[in-house]
Amino acid sequence: MLIKNATLITASESFMADILVEGEKISQIGQNLQVENADILDATSKLILPGGVDPHVHLDLPMFGTVSSDDHYTGTKAAAFGGTTTIIDFVSFDSPTLRESVDKWRVKAEKAAVDYSAHMNLTRFDEKIAAEIPSLREMGITTLKVFTAYNDRLRLSDGDIFRALRIERDNGMLVMLHAENGDVIDQLITDALNTDHWQPEWHARTRPAWGAVEATLRACALAAQADAPIYIVHLNAAGEVDMLRYARERGVQVMGETCPQYLFFTEDELRRPDGAKWICSPPMRTVADNQRLWEGLADGTIQTIGTDHCPFFYDGTKPIMYEGKEITIPGKELGKDDFTKIPNGLPGVGDRLAVLWTTGVGSGKLTANQFVALTSTNPAKIFGLYPRKGALLPGADADIVIWDPQKKVKYGVAHSHQRTDYNLYEGWELVGYPEKVFLRGKLIVDGEKWLGKARMGEFLPR
Ligand code: URP
Ligand code: ZN
Ligand code: ZN
């Protein structure tokens, strides 16, 4: 296939060129390419972006007696419709060994429709586990997520995080950290429930920004003392951006990710009658935090935008239609009388690129090149997928998005293909939208037409 007359947008430049795709790879990029017998795709007035790389999604994740409502097929199909052709999920450490947990996840993930990898949730730690960590590399997994919150469930002690960082350093791996203060959160939740505060807004009130800021600095300090790099997931508070700068100015190798929800919404959303739709951890903060995160993206303090896609139905007692069948999955209504029982997480994997194009590039907050860097190239580089992914280069996988920068869409649940009953961006007027999406040279999305299928995605060993 020869794509003619397009404007290519990479992480560093924008230029007119033709792209030749042979099999699954980009084979040439150049001016006025002439190739006999090639199928020609004229992309005049369109942009070409490398397929999005979402470094943070939770598919088929058990939580609070239910499960996140997109599995590895439906979530990756939604990703594809939004222009994302690679996702990185998380392996729950739910078996006796890391290997058994990975093997179990591999079976669930096989139905993916786009390419995929996983981070390992390191939610227990002892000498045996420490000894097993390096073997994750042979399973293609080089990243470990640790938590400073969710006491007695997912959290590791500071000492164990420090030990994990040293193992990471010695084995060319990377620790990712969820930064909140689990001890303070537990006390505030007890106080709230004891005083009959059960409404969704108490989710944010019991998880203060100071906890996120303090835990981010603590993570940077642990990384500095272990002489290891670290990646902070889902940055949500202005002070976290300041801590990243503080640590980096002192030589700490810290990288950071934020998510669209932290750029647009605030804790006020939780006071709406349907506030449970916005429950995720960490919670959304204030307008000042939104602004500081945008600045952090524009000035290079923050490296990536993932989604933390972890959808639940708003009303899981009512079915929705999905691929012609009714489906019902218990969701946010589980916590209608108690905010601590509302499953934590939001839909977003399909929304990310179109929403950020309009609000970031369209508004002038980000350049088109920064947009590509943040949503594709940087995650591919940080997580060991570049230049196979995140690149428009000869030899890269032909994961190509033909982007129509003029297309206007009144966005919402009807467009997003995420398997849930609501969308955070309902009614938003978007300008700029994916028109065609190719996964390794195969057309999988053509406008509103789905041409992909389950199991088309390949596991990406990193
Ligand atoms: O609310 C969220 N983010 N759910 C997913 C789990 C996590 O902590 O990332
Ligand atoms: Zn997290
Ligand atoms: Zn997450």
Side-chain angles (χ1 to χ4, degrees):
M1 174 178 65
L2 183 58
I3 307 176
K4 302 282 293 175
N5 307 319
T7 301
L8 278 62
I9 313 284
T10 73
S12 53
E13 51 191 339
S14 308
F15 56 98
M16 294 277 294
D18 300 340
I19 302 187
L20 182 65
V21 174
E22 289 184 272
E24 300 201 332
K25 300 282 182 189
I26 295 175
S27 63
Q28 282 187 60
I29 296 179
Q31 307 295 324
N32 301 316
L33 296 181
Q34 306 292 335
V35 181
E36 268 182 42
N37 303 325
D39 294 334
I40 306 284
L41 177 62
D42 183 11
T44 304
S45 80
K46 302 293 186 311
L47 307 177
I48 299 215
L49 317 178
V53 177
D54 190 336
H56 191 151
V57 306
H58 300 274
L59 302 173
D60 207 353
L61 175 73
M63 193 191 296
F64 299 0
T66 184
V67 68
S68 62
S69 60
D70 266 323
D71 64 21
H72 293 82
Y73 168 63
T74 67
T76 51
K77 175 180 170 184
F81 267 105
T84 290
T85 48
T86 298
I87 58 100
I88 315 185
D89 188 29
F90 290 81
V91 177
S92 299
F93 192 2
D94 56 4
S95 297
T97 64
L98 296 169
R99 175 171 288 280
E100 288 164 289
S101 304
V102 172
D103 287 348
K104 205 163 137 189
W105 172 84
R106 287 287 302 260
V107 173
K108 287 204 304 181
E110 266 171 4
K111 52 182 172 297
V114 303
D115 289 355
Y116 62 99
S117 184
H119 312 290
M120 182 75 221
N121 269 350
L122 190 65
T123 48
R124 286 181 273 133
F125 197 88
D126 59 25
E127 287 314 309
K128 225 168 122 207
I129 294 163
E132 199 194 355
I133 290 172
S135 71
L136 283 168
R137 293 173 314 169
E138 289 136 39
M139 301 172 225
I141 294 179
T142 53
T143 38
L144 307 164
K145 183 177 178 194
V146 300
F147 299 79
T148 57
Y150 306 116
N151 291 8
D152 307 320
R153 205 156 60 85
L154 306 175
R155 179 178 175 181
L156 293 190
S157 70
D158 291 351
D160 288 343
I161 293 173
F162 180 66
R163 286 178 200 100
L165 282 160
R166 290 211 294 206
I167 297 170
E168 168 227 277
R169 176 200 64 194
D170 294 343
N171 292 279
M173 302 175 84
L174 179 64
V175 166
M176 313 158 72
L177 186 133
H178 174 124
E180 291 187 287
N181 188 312
D183 293 338
V184 172
I185 290 167
D186 277 6
Q187 186 57 53
L188 292 177
I189 288 177
T190 304
D191 295 351
L193 294 179
N194 283 344
T195 49
D196 200 26
H197 292 120
W198 52 268
Q199 303 87 338
E201 70 173 279
W202 287 86
H203 178 75
R205 294 178 74 157
T206 55
R207 310 183 85 91
W210 272 114
V213 177
E214 168 272 312
T216 294
L217 180 60
R218 190 174 5 136
C220 294
L222 291 169
Q225 292 166 92
D227 195 18
I230 194 161
Y231 175 98
I232 313 293
V233 293
H234 43 52
L235 295 170
N236 52 90
E240 290 182 291
V241 184
D242 298 335
M243 291 306 106
L244 245 64
R245 287 195 79 86
Y246 176 88
R248 209 174 285 145
E249 279 164 14
R250 284 154 185 80
V252 182
Q253 298 174 67
V254 57
M255 295 165 279
E257 160 202 281
T258 190
C259 312
Q261 54 270 26
Y262 301 118
L263 299 170
F264 306 117
F265 303 112
T266 68
E267 60 187 316
D268 290 346
E269 255 65 54
L270 301 181
R271 284 187 267 279
R272 294 166 49 136
D274 59 351
K277 288 178 180 170
W278 279 266
I279 292 269
C280 65
S281 294
M284 285 138 212
R285 308 292 184 187
T286 67
V287 170
D289 293 291
N290 301 155
Q291 276 167 6
R292 186 73 187 89
L293 290 162
W294 275 115
E295 284 162 21
L297 291 169
D299 70 17
T301 309
I302 300 173
Q303 281 63 51
T304 69
I305 309 176
T307 58
D308 203 1
H309 177 77
C310 187
F312 295 93
F313 279 44
Y314 172 59
D315 183 355
T317 65
K318 296 205 184 89
I320 61 165
M321 292 303 285
Y322 188 85
E323 292 194 344
K325 290 200 194 91
E326 283 195 348
I327 178 144
T328 320
I329 303 173
K332 304 272 185 185
E333 76 288 352
L334 294 172
K336 65 180 172 12
D337 302 320
D338 177 351
F339 71 91
T340 66
K341 297 194 168 61
I342 302 173
N344 286 203
L346 312 171
V349 72
D351 310 327
R352 180 180 67 142
L353 296 185
V355 167
L356 286 170
W357 182 271
T358 296
T359 56
V361 182
S363 73
K365 287 192 180 90
L366 300 175
T367 65
N369 308 102
Q370 284 175 313
F371 169 89
V372 167
L374 289 160
T375 59
S376 177
T377 309
N378 290 353
K381 285 183 174 175
I382 291 169
F383 294 111
L385 295 167
Y386 186 86
R388 180 173 173 190
K389 302 295 185 187
L392 295 176
L393 288 173
D397 279 358
D399 293 348
I400 288 173
V401 181
I402 312 266
W403 190 268
D404 183 348
Q406 316 295 343
K407 175 136 179 170
K408 293 195 171 126
V409 172
K410 189 159 183 189
Y411 196 65
V413 71
H415 283 92
S416 67
H417 296 274
Q418 295 159 160
R419 193 168 66 172
T420 181
D421 57 352
Y422 75 101
N423 188 282
L424 295 178
Y425 308 99
E426 199 62 51
W428 285 32
E429 307 271 357
L430 303 183
V431 184
Y433 210 72
E435 183 179 279
K436 290 184 196 296
V437 179
F438 293 87
L439 172 71
R440 281 179 279 104
K442 288 188 204 78
L443 182 62
I444 57 170
V445 172
D446 192 4
E448 270 304 297
K449 225 183 289 155
W450 175 234
L451 303 171
K453 41 181 200 303
R455 305 175 79 91
M456 264 180 92
E458 270 182 16
F459 173 66
L460 300 167
R462 296 183 289 117

